[in-house]
Amino acid sequence: MAGKCTVFFKFLVPGFNKRLSLPVAFCSSLSEKKLDKAVIKSCLGSWCVRLGRSVDGVLSFEEGWEVFVNHHGLNPGEMVVFEHKGKMVFNAVAYESLGNEKEYELQSDKHQHDYKGKRTLKGTASSSLRTLFSTTMSKSHGHPHHAYMTIPAKFARSNGIVAASRIILKDPSGRSWPLIASKWERMGRRSHRIATRKGWYKFYEANKLKNGDVCVFNLKPVSSKSGSKSTRVLEVQITRRGS
């Protein structure tokens, strides 16, 4: 069976709330043929979902998937990032259409849910996907002289990314792009944000990014340690606008 990997889908039309087909490449990588269920874990709990299979072998989330969609308030244009942990167990994080992580009122009492959405055993929700974030490209990302890419504050805090942290982006072709994080103070506010400017536009231009494209950044294990300047390696998956 396929090991740990990251797959993601973008909600474009309401029909996706009934069933969701998994990527063909992911399905082809599974060695086990008799698969009938999956478990999806999020910050709100875990959900059992029945699996369907088409005549050409493509798997899909079916019974139980609509319950997951409704419970998380997912809308057309929003996206869910799935991390496959093995044995058809997925961690999931939902993002708004502009790429910000959806926020939920977390419950201290998290449960497992069956196909109908009924609570079963008390379970543990996943928090490991603090290693992922998504950004939708806009004009600020592609300006030839002032391009920058903001790193979500929650992601930066969780992973020790501060001003002067070294970051290496690995694009879908396997090329490496070194960046330096910097801290921007917000005028009139006692807050700041972490962003990358130096090196970002080279990545943007080389990968032919355009407004509306979605980049998912997946943090890999730290490759070197030197205090607050530890190198962070982020693998990037790109979904083109309209695809």
Side-chain angles (χ1 to χ4, degrees):
M1 175 167 298
K4 180 178 177 180
C5 65
T6 303
V7 291
F8 59 98
F9 319 101
K10 189 172 184 178
F11 291 81
L12 298 175
V13 296
F16 275 121
N17 66 341
K18 298 292 184 181
R19 63 191 299 274
L20 183 68
S21 296
L22 305 185
V24 174
F26 173 75
C27 297
S28 300
S29 70
L30 299 172
S31 57
E32 186 175 334
K33 301 302 180 183
K34 294 183 178 180
L35 298 170
D36 59 0
K37 68 177 181 179
V39 176
I40 305 175
K41 297 182 178 182
S42 77
C43 62
L44 300 180
S46 63
W47 280 259
C48 289
V49 178
R50 291 194 190 279
L51 291 173
R53 186 189 294 271
S54 66
V55 292
D56 53 359
V58 176
L59 296 171
S60 59
F61 293 148
E62 297 193 348
E63 186 179 5
W65 171 245
E66 185 176 9
V67 174
F68 177 88
V69 169
N70 292 337
H71 197 97
H72 290 78
L74 299 176
N75 300 303
E78 296 183 332
M79 182 173 66
V80 178
V81 174
F82 295 93
E83 181 184 29
H84 184 228
K85 304 296 289 184
K87 298 182 179 179
M88 299 308 290
V89 176
F90 296 86
N91 288 340
V93 172
Y95 292 89
E96 297 173 346
S97 58
L98 295 179
N100 298 317
E101 184 177 338
K102 286 177 72 74
E103 296 184 355
Y104 299 98
E105 183 177 346
L106 300 183
Q107 305 167 358
S108 59
D109 186 19
K110 302 180 180 68
H111 288 75
Q112 296 176 1
H113 300 76
D114 64 15
Y115 307 114
K116 302 294 184 182
K118 295 180 180 179
R119 291 182 177 182
T120 55
L121 300 175
K122 186 180 294 186
T124 57
S126 169
S127 60
S128 66
L129 281 187
R130 292 291 178 236
T131 58
L132 289 168
F133 72 91
S134 166
T135 298
T136 300
M137 296 297 101
S138 63
K139 290 183 179 179
S140 63
H141 294 101
H143 193 289
H145 304 295
H146 306 290
Y148 66 91
M149 193 272 293
T150 301
I151 299 174
K154 188 185 298 184
F155 177 89
R157 287 195 302 269
S158 298
N159 296 292
I161 296 176
V162 297
S165 289
R166 295 192 297 268
I167 296 172
I168 294 176
L169 299 184
K170 291 278 191 179
D171 68 19
S173 298
R175 296 173 297 182
S176 296
W177 304 88
L179 308 176
I180 300 293
S182 58
K183 182 172 70 173
W184 292 1
E185 298 290 343
R186 295 189 178 185
M187 298 298 293
R189 300 182 184 179
R190 294 182 178 180
S191 63
H192 66 271
R193 59 181 177 177
I194 299 295
T196 60
R197 297 190 65 176
K198 187 177 181 180
W200 165 254
Y201 184 69
K202 290 182 179 179
F203 173 87
Y204 181 97
E205 189 174 42
N207 285 278
K208 296 180 171 56
L209 294 173
K210 297 180 179 179
N211 288 355
D213 290 346
V214 177
C215 290
V216 174
F217 299 86
N218 184 12
L219 180 69
K220 309 310 290 183
V222 175
S223 59
S224 63
K225 291 185 177 181
S226 56
S228 63
K229 296 184 179 181
S230 299
T231 300
R232 302 293 193 270
V233 178
L234 297 172
E235 288 188 350
V236 187
Q237 294 187 26
I238 299 171
T239 298
R240 303 296 176 180
R241 180 180 181 179
S243 62

